[in-house]
Amino acid sequence: MSVRLNKLSIFFLVCIAFFSFTLQAFAAEKLDQKYMGLGDLTWGRPLYDIEGEYDVKFVNKRTSSIASTSVETYLIRIPEANGNMCFYGPLVASAEFANGKLFAIIIPFKGYDDELYKLTEKFGHPPYGDSSNTVGWRGERILIFLKREQSDFDGTLILIMPGAQDFLYK
């Protein structure tokens, strides 16, 4: 009887380990399959196209001695986030464009711990970083960083197109 109980216990432990791994794999798969920006603000989308759909305000243009192209920053007012990256309601994001194409989105927000919990539920435990400062997830088409801040907005969500450095630093 005890041998059978031990085999049954081992079987259940193997099942739990398998399902835990499977759930993590599905969480990562969701990240890879679906996300490449924030909602319809997708990587490579031209600025003129976004200007036709959203309230957009120019912030600045930067160049560096390292980068082969300049980067323009715009504020974009998003009337309804619709749960994208676990945000609901209106929000304002900073969008980065190189050669007129979107490659990064930065969202300051209040509630770092709550957002970390929601993103962890959605994408699994962050494989990069330390939850006391910055954590990150990597998908095939998106890099996600969640950074703790010491300001009125206690968190910043940074979404970046993988390979952005390829056209910034040629």
Side-chain angles (χ1 to χ4, degrees), residues 45-65:
R45 187 167 176 194
L47 174 60
Y48 66 82
D49 189 37
I50 293 171
E51 286 175 317
E53 191 174 332
Y54 292 93
D55 181 18
V56 176
K57 181 180 178 186
F58 176 77
V59 175
N60 66 30
K61 182 176 185 173
R62 315 182 295 289
T63 57
S64 76
S65 58

Side-chain angles (χ1 to χ4, degrees), residues 5 26-28 62 64 79 82 88 109 120 125-126 143 149 152 169:
L5 187 58
F26 280 126
R62 315 182 295 289
S64 76
N82 292 317
Y88 290 90
F109 63 91
T120 300
H125 184 76
L143 302 173
E149 302 287 353
D152 291 342
Y169 303 102

